[in-house]
Amino acid sequence: MRSEMEATDFQDALDDWFMESMKTYKDLHVYQLEDPTQVLEWTSGKTVCVAGFHPSKNEILQLHLPRKLLADENKGLCAERDFKVVHGGFTDGPVRCLTHVPGTRCIVTNDGLTSDLQVWSVGGDDSDAIKLTGRVKGRSNRRRRSLPGAVCRVAATRSSQVLHGAASGDVRLTELTSGQVLYTLETDSDEPLSSLRFVGDAVFLAGCSNGNVYVADTRTPAPPRLHPPPTSPGDPALWQTEASPGGAVVRLSACGRAVMSDTRSPGGAAGRARLEVPPGGRGQEGGVSWAPALDSCIAVSGFGAAVRIYDTSAWPTEPRDVPPLFEHRGHAVSSQPAAAAVLVTAHVWHPERPRTLLSAASDGSVHLWDWIDGSQ
Amino acid sequence: MIHKLTLQDHATQPHTVRGAGQDVGRSCILVSIGGKNIMLDCGMHMGYNDDRRFPDFSYITQNGRLTEFLDCVIISHFHLDHCGALPFMSEMVGYDGPIYMTHPTKAICPILLEDFRKITVDKKGETNFFTSQMIKDCMKKVVPLNLHQTVQVDDELEIKAYYAGHVLGAAMVHIKVGSESVVYTGDYNMTPDRHLGAAWIDKCRPDLLISESTYATTIRDSKRCRERDFLKKVHESIERGGKVLIPVFALGRAQELCILLETFWERMNLKAPIYFSTGLTEKANHYYKLFITWTNQKIRKTFVQRNMFEFKHIKAFDRSYADNPGPMVVFATPGMLHAGQSLQIFKKWAGNEKNMVIMPGYCVQGTIGHKILNGQRKLEMEGRSTLDVKLQVEYMSFSAHADAKGIMQLIRMAEPRNMLLVHGEAVKMEFLKGKIEQEFSIDCHMPANGETVAVTTNPSVPVDISLNLLKREMALGGPLPDPKKPRTMHGTLIMKENSLKLVSSEQALKELGLNEHQLRFTCRVQLQDPHSDSDTLHRIYTHLKSVLKGYTIQHLPDGTVMVESIVIKVSSCAEDANTKVLLLSWSYQDEDLGSFLSTLLKKGLPSGLC
């Protein structure tokens, strides 16, 4: 009797959320993968890769977005709302990081167990297979501190070079075809990285978990510029750091403190905020990302089952509670009440569509949503 | 044993015209199993206007009629891409054998076929097409199927239908010839929706499971999101004072959408009227009464409590209401806007951009529905008049299909030994094949159009074993046999008509009325030995005991030595007491040992034996 009531309550809450969503989302698609993913990587404006993270066998899939979402003209005449699995492959370990090499059919993955990267070719030859074509050596297997989430970060260039490393001490630029190491980041520290991003053709930002940001140029042997975090007494010591393509930096701590620095001074604090953290705090997955097509907006996940959008341009210099511009609660609402608490494992902005995001959760759900900016 | 499975003319080609993207295809599969030929579905390819829309039956036989060649035809459900070419096949090409389909399919098929015929012949002026009479004649050949009921097509071929979900009356079919079987899924759905249940099959372990590959490569958007889209569109239109027309076929989606709207109206406290044309109500009620077992639990409960169409917010339509001002929603037939009430309403409302028409399914070429879904905004009507289409046109697909997860669930349920995915894509589906092969350790075949697939099966041959033989084997002791460690046993296999029996040799001889013959060998070996006969015998005994360890050797009081069942006697030669003659005698079963003994004893006895 009780479980029947719970089931009805659950259905009602779900219905409520869907009703409400008609006003708050332009588009909403809800999918269920067979296995949850920690990675969401665009391989084009229409295709995205996901992969499992079981300790042993996993699948890597390349999915094509539903035609209905992509049809701008005559959208009403298109009925197709499903993802199409266009390519697939198998891997023996978990996939903790997946990066597409722009302009190619190539993707690069890391299993979080070593610093090595696996190189894959997606399709080609009229086949739907994703095949392993090579490996890139990371730092050699000397004893490393076993750090939680010591995953490799990878950034790829159009000329088939990958910048990779799990810590600031082992960042290197490797040419994929030859395996040759073209550049290494010279630094004494060995902090785990939370992000690695190119802000120009050769200039990149490496964000560390202690809040340090290194800015370097792969073309010069000159040492990187170091920007420590603009901390105040009482500030936490662990940060998720993310750079926008324009060079702005946001640092987010596990307890929800956020500091935004603009491009001109990655060490300064242009704005501070206190973001909502649900009880239970932060999970390991998720993170913070800048919107590629919206000024100053970031999306934050990893705090429970929601994805929240914030506008950093409104952040004051003294930290204050800042409400999100938008909150996507879909994963929380649609997870079964009896199941374990669901966590968002990954989220990503669409590269061109300003308000379209993809988010994935620990229960295998993947949501594709286009939110409506209520403030406008 | 090899099945020959020929895929005939199945093509799934997206026919995208100006943004509409109505995916069309056709199903028609020919299976040869155990010497029987079965046609699975007989669909029309809706994307073509010429002969390419019919399957090419010359593939099967050059000399016209198919009756001799086919043992039966099975139709999975009433969608035209599965049954659209049936009257053509049975009446124009020629087939007089049985056509199997479920009761709902039998009731609905002729209606859709007739509509389709009218549109194609009357509206498009086609000539090479089947007539109304042909549809009737074709349906006379139909033998209806009940779920889970085994039907003997002939002495060797039997079929059984399983619930497939998807649409009313859709079935998956299990075909068995002797010990070989095939399951064809047709179109199916693994998640229940508001008016149909989910597909179900038992662990029938067919040699081959045949399904569409499109299922395995899609990840379906949730049903709620589709519904949300529908409600959002209706609401937007109503909010701006527009009228919404939803052309439907009498069954299936109409109920689903009504239930949805009713719930939404209640929740949002909306006042705009919703109408349902009466013709629809009558037909729908009629069908539901007939086929109540085919819907899901919820509908059945509701039906028992009240009339299907007693909704709080949905009322019967009168055609005068179409001219009423203000917002409203109307469900009207027919579904493709090709005639009747829905077309009349459409003509009235098309000119106002506040209005909307929502097409909930595929429309056949030649219909207004098809034209507007292809983006046409100016329509030529009777009497040379043109109609400007200003209202909003929305295409929504509510049809329930399984997806990648669903196909894996189905394979898990049925446990086939081989998998066959029918696909029309040019791309080699290596990943998909690999995924199924790895997960289930079965072969997965993915032939292209017109390709023949040979599937090897390991049929199990059932043999009855006589109780006596079984008891005898058990009495031998030792561990009980298990599938991983089979034990050899001896018996005689008797094949009588179609049954096989394993019995002991004695019983076999008795049953066959044969006499048992025993073969015994005797051999005389000469030996030089100065001892007495009995001493010589004893010496032989000692010698054999030392050589043949592990064998049963006895020295019997009657003056013989026995090695297993071999008898050895000693006697002296009449002329010379020192020349002994050994008589060895053994039966056929002990031939090896017997030969060994005679060779051994010919060598004489070693000295030093006491």
Side-chain angles (χ1 to χ4, degrees):
Chain A
M1 190 62 198
R2 180 151 163 256
S3 63
E4 234 185 76
M5 270 171 60
E6 266 177 15
T8 330
D9 286 345
F10 166 66
Q11 294 296 336
D12 284 343
L14 197 52
D15 281 339
D16 284 340
W17 183 74
F18 268 98
M19 296 291 178
E20 197 191 301
S21 77
M22 289 199 260
K23 294 204 177 68
T24 50
Y25 294 81
K26 205 169 113 208
D27 282 305
L28 179 63
H29 296 251
V30 166
Y31 302 95
Q32 188 65 34
L33 297 179
E34 286 180 73
D35 292 304
T37 181
Q38 263 180 349
V39 299
L40 286 169
E41 172 80 350
W42 296 103
T43 44
S44 77
K46 301 182 187 177
T47 51
V48 65
C49 278
V50 296
F53 54 93
H54 282 309
S56 57
K57 273 195 139 305
N58 286 288
E59 284 178 5
I60 303 176
L61 302 175
Q62 177 166 261
L63 309 174
H64 194 289
L65 286 185
R67 288 216 294 254
K68 192 170 181 85
L69 185 86
L70 302 172
D72 278 318
E73 236 182 69
N74 288 333
K75 198 180 172 102
L77 300 182
C78 184
E80 221 186 87
R81 302 183 58 95
D82 304 329
F83 269 151
K84 189 111 175 88
V85 179
V86 279
H87 294 100
F90 300 100
T91 175
D92 288 329
V95 177
R96 302 265 179 213
C97 165
L98 192 153
T99 307
H100 175 235
V101 180
T104 70
R105 280 188 175 284
C106 191
I107 57 171
V108 160
T109 62
N110 170 256
D111 60 13
L113 304 167
T114 72
S115 296
D116 296 345
L117 307 179
Q118 293 84 39
V119 183
W120 308 80
S121 149
V122 179
D125 280 341
D126 273 340
S127 155
D128 70 339
I130 298 179
K131 295 191 172 112
L132 185 67
T133 53
R135 281 174 213 281
V136 171
K137 295 279 312 148
R139 183 160 63 180
S140 56
N141 265 349
R142 62 181 173 82
R143 228 162 57 90
R144 282 173 59 196
R145 293 165 283 173
S146 103
L147 302 152
V151 174
C152 259
R153 308 292 165 188
V154 183
T157 71
R158 292 211 152 256
S159 24
S160 291
Q161 296 162 349
V162 281
L163 186 66
H164 59 108
S168 50
D170 70 2
V171 175
R172 56 181 74 174
L173 183 73
T174 305
E175 177 159 78
L176 275 184
T177 36
S178 61
Q180 199 191 347
V181 176
L182 302 171
Y183 166 90
T184 39
L185 181 67
E186 295 298 332
T187 157
D188 294 328
S189 82
D190 198 24
E191 284 297 317
L193 289 180
S194 60
S195 74
L196 208 52
R197 211 150 294 280
F198 277 106
V199 294
D201 280 339
V203 176
F204 69 93
L205 262 73
C208 304
S209 61
N210 63 358
N212 280 349
V213 171
Y214 291 94
V215 181
D217 187 325
T218 58
R219 291 166 299 198
T220 81
R225 291 197 310 284
L226 164 63
H227 303 278
T231 49
S232 327
D235 266 351
L238 272 181
W239 300 88
Q240 182 87 9
T241 311
E242 186 58 65
S244 76
V249 173
V250 65
R251 294 172 171 89
L252 180 62
S253 78
C255 58
R257 303 272 179 86
V259 182
M260 197 270 292
S261 314
D262 64 32
T263 26
R264 293 156 301 171
S265 60
R272 288 173 187 276
R274 278 199 302 263
L275 309 183
E276 187 191 326
V277 175
R282 199 175 208 301
Q284 285 185 353
E285 289 81 19
V288 56
S289 65
W290 288 93
L294 272 186
D295 287 335
S296 318
C297 281
I298 57 168
V300 175
S301 69
F303 292 96
V307 180
R308 296 182 185 90
I309 315 278
Y310 295 94
D311 180 356
T312 63
S313 65
W315 287 3
T317 43
E318 283 312 306
R320 215 178 51 214
D321 285 343
V322 170
L325 201 52
F326 188 82
E327 185 182 39
H328 175 70
R329 294 185 307 115
H331 296 282
V333 176
S334 52
S335 70
Q336 292 290 335
V342 109
L343 279 179
V344 170
T345 51
H347 76 263
V348 75
W349 292 86
H350 190 279
E352 291 131 35
R353 300 166 61 100
R355 284 178 197 77
T356 303
L357 284 102
L358 263 177
S359 54
S362 52
D363 61 355
S365 57
V366 170
H367 294 181
L368 177 62
W369 39 287
D370 193 333
W371 53 283
I372 294 173
D373 190 345
S375 66
Q376 291 184 348
Chain B
M1 292 236 189
I2 298 186
H3 290 313
K4 255 215 300 279
L5 181 86
T6 318
L7 265 79
Q8 178 173 320
D9 276 336
H10 180 265
T12 311
Q13 290 158 14
H15 228 67
T16 314
V17 182
R18 278 195 62 192
Q22 297 180 73
D23 271 354
V24 300
R26 167 201 40 240
S27 293
C28 183
I29 299 174
L30 192 64
V31 177
S32 288
I33 164 177
K36 304 286 171 185
N37 296 319
I38 300 139
M39 182 180 284
L40 299 170
D41 280 337
C42 190
M44 182 78 89
H45 196 301
M46 316 302 268
Y48 294 117
N49 281 326
D50 50 31
D51 286 345
R52 285 176 297 174
R53 63 184 158 195
F54 300 122
D56 182 7
F57 297 114
S58 67
Y59 199 111
I60 304 177
T61 172
Q62 293 299 319
N63 67 351
R65 296 193 74 82
L66 302 172
T67 315
E68 271 72 69
F69 187 79
L70 292 176
D71 291 280
C72 70
V73 173
I74 304 175
I75 302 291
S76 62
H77 63 290
F78 60 66
H79 278 159
L80 288 172
D81 55 342
H82 288 256
C83 72
L86 191 62
F88 168 77
M89 192 271 299
S90 73
E91 307 310 306
M92 292 169 84
V93 177
Y95 170 73
D96 299 315
I99 301 173
Y100 291 95
M101 59 180 79
T102 61
H103 285 276
T105 311
K106 182 178 178 203
I108 299 165
C109 228
I111 302 172
L112 286 181
L113 286 170
E114 179 54 30
D115 266 356
F116 178 43
R117 188 208 65 78
K118 262 202 274 221
I119 295 166
T120 313
V121 173
D122 299 346
K123 290 208 177 293
K124 287 171 71 197
E126 301 253 357
T127 45
N128 184 28
F129 213 77
F130 47 83
T131 62
S132 283
Q133 187 57 41
M134 287 181 185
I135 297 174
K136 295 193 177 98
D137 292 336
C138 172
M139 296 312 285
K140 288 193 188 119
K141 299 170 184 167
V142 169
V143 178
L145 293 171
N146 287 317
L147 285 180
H148 307 164
Q149 187 187 53
T150 306
V151 169
Q152 292 288 144
V153 176
D154 61 36
D155 284 341
E156 291 150 306
L157 170 60
E158 57 182 52
I159 61 177
K160 192 200 282 198
Y162 288 92
Y163 191 79
H166 184 58
V167 290
L168 194 71
M172 305 190 288
V173 71
H174 181 264
I175 299 155
K176 192 159 149 184
V177 180
S179 61
E180 296 179 301
S181 57
V182 168
V183 168
Y184 170 59
T185 65
D187 285 345
Y188 66 102
N189 181 35
M190 295 302 286
T191 42
D193 62 26
R194 285 180 206 260
H195 82 292
L196 288 174
W200 180 86
I201 192 164
D202 49 16
K203 233 187 245 318
C204 50
R205 297 209 175 99
D207 289 301
L208 186 64
L209 178 63
I210 305 173
S211 187
E212 280 279 329
S213 70
T214 25
Y215 297 151
T217 52
T218 43
I219 297 180
R220 300 271 295 169
D221 187 14
S222 72
K223 181 181 51 138
R224 272 205 163 82
C225 278
R226 288 169 209 280
E227 291 175 346
R228 173 194 172 270
D229 207 24
F230 171 71
L231 292 174
K232 186 163 184 266
K233 291 282 176 317
V234 171
H235 194 217
E236 276 167 10
S237 225
I238 297 293
E239 291 246 281
R240 63 174 180 241
K243 296 169 164 60
V244 183
L245 171 64
I246 309 172
V248 284
F249 177 61
L251 282 162
R253 296 306 143 201
Q255 275 65 47
E256 186 112 344
L257 299 177
C258 280
I259 296 169
L260 196 53
L261 276 188
E262 169 98 339
T263 322
F264 186 55
W265 247 240
E266 186 72 21
R267 193 183 263 276
M268 303 286 279
N269 202 19
L270 297 175
K271 302 292 175 212
I274 310 176
Y275 299 112
F276 204 84
S277 65
T278 41
L280 213 70
T281 323
E282 279 155 23
K283 259 196 230 149
N285 267 325
H286 169 68
Y287 284 118
Y288 270 93
K289 279 208 184 80
L290 279 181
F291 303 122
I292 198 65
T293 49
W294 282 86
T295 63
N296 71 12
Q297 202 57 27
K298 243 199 267 183
I299 296 274
R300 249 175 280 161
K301 267 201 231 155
T302 330
F303 199 80
V304 168
Q305 287 160 17
R306 59 162 197 208
N307 178 337
M308 267 309 307
F309 291 96
E310 257 167 45
F311 289 109
K312 219 169 112 180
H313 302 275
I314 308 181
K315 302 282 172 249
F317 185 66
D318 181 279
R319 63 175 154 163
S320 62
Y321 298 172
D323 296 316
N324 289 357
M328 70 173 83
V329 181
V330 177
F331 288 90
T333 53
M336 298 185 258
L337 286 180
H338 53 285
Q341 193 167 70
S342 61
L343 183 58
Q344 272 178 21
I345 300 171
F346 177 77
K347 282 193 219 170
K348 282 190 198 230
W349 294 357
N352 188 337
E353 61 248 332
K354 281 200 245 173
N355 295 341
M356 181 186 284
V357 63
I358 298 180
M359 307 298 298
Y362 177 75
C363 293
V364 158
Q365 267 197 39
T367 56
I368 302 261
H370 186 93
K371 292 185 180 139
I372 60 172
L373 286 180
N374 277 304
Q376 216 170 310
R377 303 302 276 180
K378 270 190 167 35
L379 300 170
E380 260 183 41
M381 311 299 286
E382 298 91 56
R384 302 270 196 98
S385 60
T386 27
L387 181 66
D388 272 326
V389 179
K390 293 199 184 138
L391 87 179
Q392 205 173 322
V393 180
E394 293 283 333
Y395 182 28
M396 297 197 180
S397 165
F398 292 98
S399 75
H401 278 289
D403 67 358
K405 201 160 142 200
I407 205 175
M408 303 303 264
Q409 280 173 295
L410 187 70
I411 299 175
R412 223 166 270 132
M413 258 194 206
E415 283 189 18
R417 290 172 226 267
N418 290 279
M419 186 70 208
L420 190 132
L421 290 173
V422 178
H423 79 110
E425 323 244 344
V427 173
K428 284 183 286 200
M429 315 270 245
E430 287 175 52
F431 167 65
L432 190 47
K433 190 166 142 63
K435 183 174 151 130
I436 292 177
E437 289 181 344
Q438 273 181 41
E439 171 102 17
F440 301 108
S441 302
I442 59 176
D443 281 337
C444 178
H445 308 268
M446 305 179 82
N449 293 342
E451 211 182 300
T452 307
V453 169
V455 175
T456 315
T457 60
N458 282 329
S460 51
V461 181
V463 172
D464 292 325
I465 178 170
S466 82
L467 195 57
N468 282 335
L469 193 58
L470 200 57
K471 281 188 186 163
R472 190 207 292 184
E473 285 298 321
M474 297 287 287
L476 288 176
L480 286 174
D482 81 73
K484 297 208 172 91
K485 288 190 211 141
R487 206 162 88 184
T488 319
M489 58 171 291
H490 297 278
T492 309
L493 186 70
I494 303 183
M495 282 166 65
K496 205 167 167 185
E497 283 148 8
N498 277 332
S499 75
L500 293 131
K501 213 167 41 165
L502 197 60
V503 297
S504 64
S505 345
E506 299 83 20
Q507 194 175 335
L509 288 166
K510 204 164 126 196
E511 275 195 34
L512 298 168
L514 296 170
N515 290 324
E516 186 175 358
H517 298 271
Q518 294 251 1
L519 275 173
R520 276 201 91 82
F521 296 90
T522 16
C523 167
R524 282 184 172 78
V525 174
Q526 280 203 344
L527 203 62
Q528 294 297 114
D529 197 280
H531 299 92
S532 70
D533 284 357
S534 55
D535 280 350
T536 307
L537 189 66
H538 188 80
R539 294 182 74 217
I540 291 169
Y541 171 70
T542 317
H543 175 50
L544 291 181
K545 264 211 103 73
S546 73
V547 171
L548 293 174
K549 300 203 166 69
Y551 285 85
T552 315
I553 306 177
Q554 297 166 290
H555 186 170
L556 299 174
D558 65 356
T560 61
V561 162
M562 278 195 68
V563 180
E564 300 289 330
S565 67
I566 301 168
V567 179
I568 307 173
K569 281 199 176 110
V570 174
S571 56
S572 303
C573 192
E575 295 82 25
D576 176 15
N578 286 346
T579 307
K580 303 286 185 236
V581 175
L582 307 179
L583 184 73
L584 281 82
S585 165
W586 62 84
S587 65
Y588 177 64
Q589 281 83 346
D590 290 323
E591 209 213 322
D592 286 336
L593 187 56
S595 310
F596 173 75
L597 278 180
S598 71
T599 315
L600 177 71
L601 292 171
K602 277 190 184 127
K603 291 185 190 148
L605 295 171
S607 53
L609 267 179
C610 51

